[in-house]
Amino acid sequence: MRSVDHTSFVIHRMLNGEPARCFRAFSQAEAKRQWFSCDERMETAEYSLDCRPGGSEINRVRLLGGEDHLYLAHYFDVVPDHRILFGYSMHVGDRRLSASLVTITFQPRGEKTLMTYTEQVAMLDGLQEVEERIRGTELGLDNLERKLPQL
């Protein structure tokens, strides 16, 4: 059955590091690749990141013997150390699960950074529940927090 469910969610994280470090973790390919996964069993088949207005990101991963999971992003607005705005779609095999608009902001809080992640998402055809998307995003951000001191 064809359907579209629209929703949004916001995640706030107080990150250990100044905004420039936190921004780099999202905007530089080698840094982002180290933490950007919701499942450590996933193997990367393809990854690229060009975090600038008009740039794109591709992350193709798979579980052993499983279908490809594909994340395709397009960057609309990037203000170094302050804001990233992009749209992305998620696919499993030949099925598109969703399309989203994401805004990430970085606000200094002493030696830390308040990161606010806001996602507006269209969940397509009942192929994924929003709770699963939120949990996957939170798991990725948990990885970011663990790896941020090394980035």
Side-chain angles (χ1 to χ4, degrees):
M1 178 167 97
R2 298 301 215 183
S3 64
V4 179
D5 292 316
H6 295 92
T7 191
S8 62
F9 61 93
V10 178
I11 300 171
H12 299 281
R13 294 284 177 109
M14 189 64 69
L15 301 175
N16 288 317
E18 70 284 356
R21 175 185 293 266
C22 299
F23 178 84
R24 280 192 309 272
F26 281 89
S27 63
Q28 292 183 356
E30 285 308 310
K32 189 169 185 183
R33 192 172 173 176
Q34 292 182 46
W35 66 267
F36 189 60
S37 177
C38 63
D39 189 329
E40 303 235 350
R41 300 171 298 161
M42 294 279 193
E43 293 182 3
T44 301
E46 177 182 6
Y47 187 79
S48 65
L49 170 61
D50 179 10
C51 185
R52 63 180 171 84
S56 63
E57 182 176 9
I58 298 171
N59 188 28
R60 184 184 311 272
V61 298
R62 69 179 65 101
L63 286 169
L64 185 61
E67 293 182 291
D68 280 2
H69 293 239
L70 178 62
Y71 169 97
L72 296 172
H74 181 80
Y75 289 84
F76 302 114
D77 183 61
V78 177
V79 179
D81 306 341
H82 296 284
R83 178 178 66 233
I84 301 172
L85 176 66
F86 62 96
Y88 79 94
S89 58
M90 288 291 299
H91 310 251
V92 173
D94 62 353
R95 300 175 310 279
R96 185 186 326 263
L97 304 181
S98 64
S100 296
L101 179 67
V102 174
T103 304
I104 304 171
T105 60
F106 305 93
Q107 299 174 325
R109 295 291 189 267
E111 294 181 9
K112 296 185 177 195
T113 298
L114 174 61
M115 183 215 63
T116 302
Y117 177 102
T118 303
E119 182 166 342
Q120 298 163 291
V121 60
M123 305 301 287
L124 304 174
D125 302 326
L127 296 173
Q128 185 180 40
E129 297 293 325
V130 71
E131 293 79 13
E132 184 181 357
R133 172 61 52 81
I134 293 168
R135 185 67 192 135
T137 303
E138 289 175 334
L139 288 170
L141 294 174
D142 291 347
N143 291 338
L144 168 64
E145 287 189 88
R146 280 191 299 277
K147 307 241 177 172
L148 190 60
Q150 294 89 32
L151 302 178

